[in-house]
Amino acid sequence: MKFTALLWLALIVLSGVGKNPIPKRLIGTYTGTQDSYEVMVNKSPVTIPSVNLTLKLSYNELLLSSPNKVTKGRYQVTAPTKKYYSLKVYFEDGTIENWQLFRRGKKILRDGLNPRPSMVFVKR
């Protein structure tokens, strides 16, 4: 009887292991500023102004907010290293980006997509 109870307890505990891809301490709200950049429209340069962005990171999901728009996304940890978690981010508009969530310093590096430059989010 005790063995069966211990076995069930062990199965319950082990079933929760590995479900959360990143530690709880890294979950939360991050902020950053996307620098301005230039794009070509009809052979004329157009400057995209800098914008403050807020990122709400939860388990496997995120919300990226600017003053004008909120974009939902999901992510997958693709290659955890000693320094950071590599994230493949899938936005609802079909865009796929590669990010790094650093284990220390509580920051996220968003890789640039030409012509948009890279940016850094810092946890509040």
Side-chain angles (χ1 to χ4, degrees):
M1 184 61 87
K2 286 183 181 180
F3 177 75
T4 305
L6 285 174
L7 182 62
W8 278 109
L9 181 62
L11 287 174
I12 291 170
V13 169
L14 290 176
S15 68
V17 173
K19 293 209 183 225
N20 299 328
I22 57 176
K24 184 178 178 179
R25 65 185 165 77
L26 297 176
I27 297 298
T29 302
Y30 293 75
T31 57
T33 301
Q34 177 68 65
D35 292 335
S36 65
Y37 57 98
E38 204 171 82
V39 296
M40 297 299 285
V41 177
N42 296 328
K43 297 184 182 182
S44 299
V46 175
T47 300
I48 307 298
S50 65
V51 64
N52 293 324
L53 299 174
T54 301
L55 174 69
K56 292 185 180 176
L57 185 69
S58 60
Y59 292 116
N60 299 316
E61 295 181 332
L62 58 86
L63 286 175
L64 182 61
S65 305
S66 71
N68 301 327
K69 184 178 178 183
V70 176
T71 305
K72 292 172 88 174
R74 60 183 177 81
Y75 65 89
Q76 195 174 19
V77 176
T78 57
T81 68
K82 289 183 179 182
K83 291 185 177 182
Y84 58 83
Y85 296 94
S86 290
L87 306 178
K88 186 164 288 271
V89 180
Y90 303 89
F91 287 106
E92 62 188 357
D93 65 0
T95 307
I96 301 173
E97 297 184 14
N98 293 308
W99 295 10
Q100 291 86 38
L101 172 60
F102 287 84
R103 292 176 183 264
R104 297 185 190 263
K106 297 182 180 173
K107 65 182 179 179
I108 298 173
L109 173 65
R110 180 185 191 189
D111 287 346
L113 291 174
N114 195 17
R116 187 193 73 216
S118 297
M119 69 168 290
V120 175
F121 291 98
V122 179
K123 190 167 184 193
R124 286 199 251 174

